[in-house]
Amino acid sequence: MFNYIIYFISLFITLPIFATVSIYLISVKILHSKKLKAVHTAVNWTTILYIIAVVILFDLIFGGIFIGWMIVFFIISLSIIIIYQWKTSLEVELGKAIKVIWRFSFILFLMLYILLVLVGIIQQIFG
């Protein structure tokens, strides 16, 4: 039984697009959420899967771990957003800044995931 749980989690980490679509469909069909709210729910819940998948793909393709660089990227991005908030409204909302970073990370890591999958496929074909 425990193995099935591990396989289920591994499937969603390996193919996070399935997790995104699944959470979107569950949110729309079962929870009766509106489509935009369902998209936000899917993005919020699956961003971490894309981050883990990209870390694994970087390790497989390039042979190195880039978690440190990703953490630095997150901190610098958060700093830029906080400075922008401070300059424009004089009120810094950390929760809002983290939400912006989280949603931007989804887009960034989705694109990186697609790019790295294509690079991995090309590398396997020609390598």
Side-chain angles (χ1 to χ4, degrees):
M1 178 65 181
F2 187 70
N3 288 338
Y4 293 119
I5 295 171
I6 297 294
Y7 293 145
F8 185 72
I9 293 171
S10 324
L11 173 72
F12 281 150
I13 289 175
T14 308
L15 301 168
I17 292 173
F18 287 142
T20 305
V21 172
S22 299
I23 291 174
Y24 173 79
L25 292 175
I26 288 169
S27 184
V28 168
K29 300 289 182 187
I30 296 174
L31 302 176
H32 304 291
S33 297
K34 294 185 178 181
K35 291 183 181 180
L36 185 61
K37 181 149 177 69
V39 169
H40 285 191
T41 302
V43 166
N44 288 334
W45 283 97
T46 59
T47 301
I48 192 70
L49 297 176
Y50 284 100
I51 293 171
I52 294 169
V54 167
V55 167
I56 292 169
L57 285 171
F58 265 125
D59 185 38
L60 290 173
I61 293 172
F62 301 113
I65 298 176
F66 296 92
I67 295 174
W69 288 104
M70 289 180 193
I71 292 172
V72 168
F73 170 76
F74 284 128
I75 291 171
I76 290 172
S77 301
L78 187 63
S79 301
I80 290 169
I81 289 173
I82 288 175
I83 290 170
Y84 176 77
Q85 281 183 353
W86 173 61
K87 292 288 186 180
T88 58
S89 67
L90 295 176
E91 185 176 334
V92 175
E93 297 179 30
L94 186 61
K96 194 177 207 180
I98 290 173
K99 188 183 290 188
V100 169
I101 290 297
W102 194 250
R103 290 182 180 162
F104 176 73
S105 297
F106 175 79
I107 294 170
L108 176 69
F109 283 99
L110 172 66
M111 296 302 162
L112 277 172
Y113 175 77
I114 292 169
L115 179 72
L116 288 172
V117 166
L118 292 174
V119 167
I121 291 171
I122 291 170
Q123 189 179 34
Q124 287 297 318
I125 290 173
F126 295 114

